[in-house]
Amino acid sequence: MTRPLWTAFEIAAATDGEVYGSFAASGVAFDSREVGPGDLFVALKGETTNGHRFVDAAFERGAAGALVSEPIAQPHVLVQEDEIPSDRIGRPYVQVQDSYAGLNALGRAARARSEARIIGVTGSVGKTGTKEALFAALERTAPGFAHRSVKSYNNHTGVPLSLSRMPAETRYGVFEMGMNHAGELAALTRLVRPHIAIVTAIAPAHSAFFPSEEAIADAKGEIFEGLEPGGTAIVPFDSPHRDRLIEAARPWAGRILTFGSDAGADVRAREAVRAPHGGTLVSAVLPDAELTFTIGLPGEHWVSNALAVLAAVDAAGGDLAAAGLALADMAGLPGRGQRRVAPLADGEALVIDESYNANPASMAATLKSLGEERGVGRRIAILGEMRELGEQSARYHAGLAEPILAADVDYALLVGSEMRALANALEGRIDFAHVPDAAAALERLPGLIEAGDAVLIKGSNAIGLARLVEHLASGALAGGKTTCSI
């Protein structure tokens, strides 16, 4: 019989709570819409909502119990550990002083009881893809005993949630950590306490909150502060901020590994060539090994991500050959490189879904990959504005003109007011249109996409370009369909 993730009394011990009804949970969720049978529902109080309003909905979806800071409306029966009052209480729960503090305490307890090798991942770009690839590699090393944070649960609520979901028997845990202000990552990494910490890359993401790219590097370097004694820091060798990151890691790390394409990197790509059916064939050199493997996803940025993965797998004592197989099987994530087919009346087009996030570095990388697509007709770029770039926003947007031209883009559809600077930079150099929002972009799709086209859709998530992806993939442009709710 599989051991439960948490019992009510383990939760109470971790959170200093009181048990009102015994239960055993197989999962943890703080969004009632994501609760599944057997989950613990954590009722958080936010600035605009109160999770206690959704306790009933969570139990209706099958929650085994709840973690609350307000009593549930039913006869309150305080129980001791030797009692099993399942017949006395219909919606069992553990009550704490503060449910957010309780979630953090549960995450700390999960980390404290675990003997897993823990890996933390951060960076301005590539952290979610690297996290997923690393999990896939370690899952092949230890099937059924690898754990990772799902989606982009990388902030002050997502990280403790991801920790609290980690089974006690886990052998490898991979946790994504993000930030948009200084000091945030320091708090998260001390919660995760990684044995291995990766910075994927530094780029001008969240520039509105930082005076310089160096300040962004300093904030990302906070991940090393939580390293366990003797832990390993993994740093991008090719980054202009490499030395700054190494200095940030030096007080905390027992070992520092670099990765990149330059010959000086500890983990480097000796050769990287385009694979016959997409992706990249890589010959990699590590401190004590060499590996030739294929990356299933195209682009130089994925070569960099893969080298970071290999460095971490090696540092964690994982199976490098298994990691190579996992990288070959990698498929893009929704919103982060997933390749989809758009059915059309006279054929189909390729849709590259990069709609979840965007900053200058990731825009340039994905545009370069679009330019390397072979066997396609036209290259179309549907680009949404990049958020949180501060006073330099116009410069960063205008700077996308050169990557667009270098990628031989045939037509660009620019979405959002911040794209005005790019529109000005492209004037007279390429066919394009500039529209105010995703709804206006949707109206442009009929007649724009032709069979054989490769269509890149990328922008900050708040722009809503994911709905254009779904519209195209649904076949709405086939058979005369031209409308879609947005």
Side-chain angles (χ1 to χ4, degrees):
M1 181 177 179
T2 303
R3 182 190 184 282
L5 182 65
W6 296 104
T7 67
F9 299 102
E10 288 171 339
I11 295 166
T15 62
D16 195 25
E18 294 182 328
V19 177
Y20 291 87
S22 178
F23 63 90
S26 57
V28 185
F30 56 57
D31 186 335
S32 63
R33 296 166 296 184
E34 296 183 357
V35 169
D39 282 351
L40 169 72
F41 173 61
V42 182
L44 298 178
K45 291 183 179 180
E47 294 181 1
T48 59
T49 189
N50 184 343
H52 294 81
R53 293 169 45 205
F54 304 101
V55 168
D56 287 347
F59 278 106
E60 288 171 3
R61 291 182 64 88
L67 182 66
V68 299
S69 58
E70 299 174 3
I72 291 177
Q74 63 184 355
H76 303 141
V77 185
L78 180 64
V79 281
Q80 305 302 317
E81 189 162 0
D82 58 352
E83 296 183 63
I84 308 295
S86 58
D87 59 339
R88 297 162 60 193
I89 190 163
R91 295 183 298 170
Y93 62 95
V94 174
Q95 186 170 346
V96 294
Q97 288 291 318
D98 180 286
S99 51
Y100 171 69
L103 177 61
N104 275 270
L106 199 60
R108 282 192 294 272
R111 177 65 183 89
R113 74 182 182 181
S114 177
E115 297 182 1
R117 297 291 289 175
I118 303 297
I119 303 154
V121 182
T122 195
S124 301
V125 293
K127 53 184 177 291
T128 299
T130 299
K131 177 257 300 181
E132 290 293 328
L134 186 50
F135 167 77
L138 294 171
E139 176 67 16
R140 292 217 179 193
T141 295
F145 292 94
H147 173 79
R148 94 290 206 183
S149 47
V150 299
K151 299 184 180 179
S152 288
Y153 282 171
N154 62 20
N155 63 6
H156 66 287
T157 52
V159 169
L161 176 71
S162 298
L163 279 168
S164 70
R165 289 172 165 177
M166 181 168 62
E169 60 272 20
T170 296
R171 289 175 53 189
Y172 298 102
V174 187
F175 297 92
E176 179 181 339
M177 288 176 268
M179 62 87 206
N180 53 23
H181 292 86
E184 293 176 341
L185 209 53
L188 296 178
T189 190
R190 289 190 171 98
L191 188 65
V192 173
R193 294 192 289 116
H195 298 97
I196 301 161
I198 303 170
V199 175
T200 59
I202 303 297
H206 310 301
S207 294
F209 308 118
F210 294 94
S212 65
E213 201 167 286
E214 288 77 11
I216 295 172
D218 290 341
K220 293 297 184 183
E222 292 173 11
I223 193 174
F224 304 127
E225 297 177 17
L227 276 170
E228 289 286 84
T232 300
I234 298 177
V235 172
F237 187 89
D238 303 330
S239 170
H241 307 290
R242 174 194 66 211
D243 293 342
R244 197 177 194 94
L245 291 169
I246 288 174
E247 287 305 307
R250 204 179 299 280
W252 314 99
R255 183 188 188 197
I256 299 174
L257 288 175
T258 59
F259 66 93
S261 58
D262 192 279
D266 298 310
V267 179
R268 69 184 188 277
R270 183 166 55 196
E271 188 175 16
V273 297
R274 185 178 177 85
H277 302 291
T280 307
L281 179 64
V282 180
S283 292
V285 178
L286 293 87
D288 299 306
E290 295 188 13
L291 182 70
T292 298
F293 63 100
T294 299
I295 306 169
L297 293 166
E300 291 179 3
H301 56 299
W302 262 106
V303 175
S304 180
N305 291 347
L307 294 172
V309 167
L310 293 182
V313 169
D314 195 37
D319 187 329
L320 287 172
L325 293 173
L327 288 164
D329 288 343
M330 281 295 293
L333 304 171
R336 291 186 171 89
Q338 188 175 62
R339 298 162 74 86
R340 304 182 67 173
V341 171
L344 303 171
D346 56 348
E348 59 187 33
L350 167 66
V351 177
I352 304 168
D353 177 14
E354 287 275 1
S355 60
Y356 186 81
N357 206 354
N359 59 51
S362 65
M363 279 282 201
T366 50
L367 282 165
K368 184 174 183 179
S369 292
L370 177 64
E372 293 171 349
E373 288 290 336
R374 299 291 179 264
V376 299
R378 299 178 305 156
R379 297 180 179 88
I380 295 175
I382 302 177
L383 306 178
E385 66 184 43
M386 302 176 287
R387 296 287 178 89
E388 298 183 352
L389 292 180
E391 295 178 356
Q392 298 298 313
S393 179
R395 179 172 69 85
Y396 285 130
H397 281 87
L400 297 178
E402 295 311 316
I404 288 172
L405 296 171
D408 291 326
V409 170
D410 295 283
Y411 185 86
L413 180 57
L414 313 179
V415 186
S417 60
E418 294 293 315
M419 280 291 181
R420 170 52 57 192
L422 177 56
N424 292 337
L426 290 175
E427 192 68 45
R429 306 171 75 185
I430 187 178
D431 288 336
F432 74 92
H434 179 213
V435 296
D437 52 35
L442 183 72
E443 294 176 357
R444 296 271 184 157
L445 293 183
L448 172 62
I449 312 299
E450 299 175 359
D453 287 349
V455 185
L456 169 65
I457 300 180
K458 186 169 180 64
S460 291
N461 189 43
I463 306 304
L465 298 188
R467 287 169 285 181
L468 273 71
V469 174
E470 294 305 320
H471 182 67
L472 289 171
S474 72
L477 296 189
K481 298 179 182 178
T482 58
T483 61
C484 177
S485 174
I486 190 167

